[in-house]
Amino acid sequence: MPSRRSFLLAASAAAAAPSLTLQAQRPSGSSAEIKQLPPAIAALTSRRSEAVPISLEEREHRIERARGLLAKSRLNALVICTGTSLAYFTGLRWGQSERFFAWVLPATGSPFIVCPVFEEGRVRERMEATPATLPQASVTRVYTWNEDESPYALLAKALKDAGITTGKIGVEERTQFAFSDGIAHASPTLTAVSGTPVTAGCRAVKSPAELALMRLANDNTLKVYEAAWKSLEPGMTNRHVSDLISAAYERTGFPGFASCQVAEYTALPHGSLQPQVIREGQIILLDDGCVVEGYQSDISRSFVLGKATDKQKQVFDVVHKAQAAALAAGKAGAACHAVDDAARKVITDAGFGPGYKHFTHRLGHGIGMDGHEWPYLVKGNDLPLESGMTFSDEPGIYIVGEFGIRLEDDWVVTPSGGEMFTPQSPSLEEPFAKA
């Protein structure tokens, strides 16, 4: 569950530096605090050569898919400012600032870019990069604005040049308010609406190339977790564990982070800022993932060092069954809520219900270039699942004041049910044992 707890991670590490693609924030210089890497982590090696970037041809297909959805939604154009949707369609990674930057896809005609005049050189450098990433770069016009000019008036002019003077403009959902408000008032004859039917409509179903990157990200995370688990010792702090995991990710060549919660703090799904020390027999919860060519993993593992108690084992078994039930319910054509329903029934039938009493959050979220993206596996969501959609499967039972157990793996929808990218954790005492 990455993005939802990044504020905790940032607060616990004042020196943390934000990442453009990773949802959690990593403490800077973490590996420098570790004098000598444990053998299991030192044995990890770079896996970057295994990652195959998304091709220009695939991005061209995404453009055509977006045009089809624009027509279906009766939208005249799609406006994307920054973030993962921009990278998804164009390969451009552009930091968000107070200055308006946008890539615009008309329903018909060539895309165009609106940017500050002093950024034009950087834009063209990326448009002409080798290998190419920007679809239709040769016909993409760049409109520039000076600091004392309105970028929104320029956007309206560019849309007029594209033959769009009336109708609806879809705005990407994560556009900051100042930009979306400016777009909304760019022209009295144009209406700004949500662009989510187009962006989520394209991004929700993953291609084979995307699935390959996600499988690699998940496999990498699981191997990093296993190396960290082999390196843990009673007396370590939770911050030390996170530092070890950050160092492990550095060795694999993919940026990543994991939060670590211990004992009663594992009953808080998003963790705690309190310093914690690992003891034998206490639940330890690792959560988060890494990024491979822009695609994220999100895995949680709950375990103990030493012997687990009967109550801990009982709770683990229920959560394990709930995770398996959710996966089995994840068939193409089933409603999103059916996956949550299946897991919640197992937990409720075991005496940890009703509703959100101990399983306090939804079953899962879509995942891809964002740690959390459309659609969501939650009560009331009737959207049908489609083959190729990817989600987290993360049931949990949280007993406040004692402990919590969550198991989380990412998976893809198939006609016969969900297919996990990683094997389920078999037990609290041997969380990475092979089945």
Side-chain angles (χ1 to χ4, degrees):
M1 298 167 70
S3 60
R4 54 204 187 277
R5 74 185 72 73
S6 58
F7 74 99
L8 289 171
L9 302 173
S12 67
S19 166
L20 293 179
T21 53
L22 187 63
Q23 298 306 301
Q25 290 181 325
R26 296 190 298 151
S28 61
S30 355
S31 60
E33 300 175 13
I34 304 168
K35 303 303 181 185
Q36 183 174 356
L37 291 176
I41 292 177
L44 295 171
T45 57
S46 176
R47 304 185 65 183
R48 292 193 62 82
S49 63
E50 299 177 48
V52 179
I54 298 298
S55 68
L56 178 61
E57 181 182 15
E58 178 156 333
R59 288 202 172 90
E60 295 282 4
H61 289 313
R62 293 172 180 179
I63 297 295
E64 294 312 308
R65 169 68 172 154
R67 289 191 195 279
L69 291 173
L70 282 168
K72 182 179 179 181
S73 302
R74 297 184 179 180
L75 300 179
N76 297 89
L78 174 68
V79 179
I80 300 177
C81 291
T82 57
T84 50
S85 285
L86 180 68
Y88 176 85
F89 286 108
T90 71
L92 294 175
R93 288 176 169 79
W94 202 269
Q96 180 174 293
S97 78
E98 78 281 8
R99 293 183 174 98
F100 182 77
F101 173 97
W103 175 81
V104 182
L105 179 67
T108 59
S110 302
F112 61 84
I113 290 172
V114 178
C115 73
V117 67
F118 65 85
E119 295 281 31
E120 183 176 4
R122 189 158 67 107
V123 169
R124 293 197 180 281
E125 178 183 63
R126 298 189 184 189
M127 289 173 65
E128 297 165 5
T130 304
T133 63
L134 182 69
Q136 303 181 25
S138 63
V139 294
T140 296
R141 183 173 175 181
V142 180
Y143 291 82
T144 60
W145 56 278
N146 286 305
E147 298 276 46
D148 61 347
E149 296 175 326
S150 167
Y152 310 110
L154 182 60
L155 173 64
K157 178 187 181 304
L159 289 167
K160 184 177 180 180
D161 290 348
I164 302 171
T165 56
T166 61
K168 296 179 181 179
I169 307 301
V171 181
E172 203 271 343
E173 65 178 295
R174 301 196 181 194
T175 303
Q176 61 199 70
F177 176 77
F179 291 173
S180 59
D181 187 56
I183 294 166
H185 292 91
S187 168
T189 58
L190 292 170
T191 302
V193 299
S194 172
T196 299
V198 179
T199 55
C202 288
R203 292 177 57 178
V205 175
K206 308 302 190 289
S207 70
E210 291 178 290
L211 291 174
L213 292 171
M214 294 183 70
R215 289 182 193 282
L216 177 55
N218 280 271
D219 183 69
N220 191 60
T221 291
L222 199 65
K223 284 182 168 53
V224 163
Y225 278 13
E226 183 174 10
W229 170 69
K230 291 176 178 177
S231 306
L232 298 189
E233 297 177 0
M236 283 184 174
T237 65
N238 63 324
R239 174 60 187 269
H240 188 190
V241 175
S242 293
D243 288 348
L244 283 173
I245 292 173
S246 291
Y249 277 127
E250 287 177 12
R251 293 193 63 77
T252 68
F254 300 124
F257 179 79
S259 64
C260 174
Q261 305 299 321
V262 183
E264 68 268 27
Y265 298 110
T266 60
L268 305 176
H270 288 178
S272 168
L273 297 179
Q274 293 299 315
Q276 301 162 45
V277 178
I278 290 175
R279 307 292 184 200
E280 284 195 8
Q282 294 180 331
I283 297 293
I284 301 165
L285 174 59
L286 302 181
D287 184 23
D288 269 315
C290 69
V291 180
V292 174
E293 288 291 330
Y295 287 83
Q296 301 205 23
S297 60
D298 189 6
I299 294 177
S300 297
R301 286 293 180 265
S302 299
F303 53 86
V304 299
L305 297 186
K307 296 295 183 182
T309 67
D310 288 343
K311 185 173 184 179
Q312 290 170 341
K313 291 178 180 179
Q314 177 204 6
V315 172
F316 178 92
D317 288 344
V318 173
V319 173
H320 191 277
K321 290 175 183 176
Q323 190 187 41
L327 193 70
K331 299 177 182 179
C336 282
H337 72 76
V339 185
D340 183 282
D341 294 345
R344 205 165 297 277
K345 183 178 188 304
V346 172
I347 290 173
T348 299
D349 288 351
F352 293 97
Y356 292 91
K357 183 177 181 180
H358 289 293
F359 179 16
T360 55
H361 52 76
R362 67 194 171 205
L363 184 279
H365 52 81
I367 186 170
M369 293 188 76
D370 284 309
H372 288 195
E373 59 183 45
W374 296 97
Y376 299 96
L377 306 176
V378 65
K379 181 180 179 180
N381 187 354
D382 294 325
L383 181 75
L385 298 173
E386 296 181 52
S387 291
M389 285 182 170
T390 49
F391 298 93
S392 67
D393 179 356
E394 48 183 307
I397 292 175
Y398 308 97
I399 305 172
V400 176
E402 294 186 49
F403 63 86
I405 290 177
R406 179 168 68 252
L407 296 176
E408 178 181 16
D409 294 273
D410 300 332
W411 59 285
V412 58
V413 177
T414 78
S416 57
E419 177 188 311
M420 278 189 177
F421 295 139
T422 42
Q424 275 189 289
S425 178
S427 72
L428 284 174
E429 295 170 359
E430 296 289 338
F432 302 97
K434 302 298 186 289

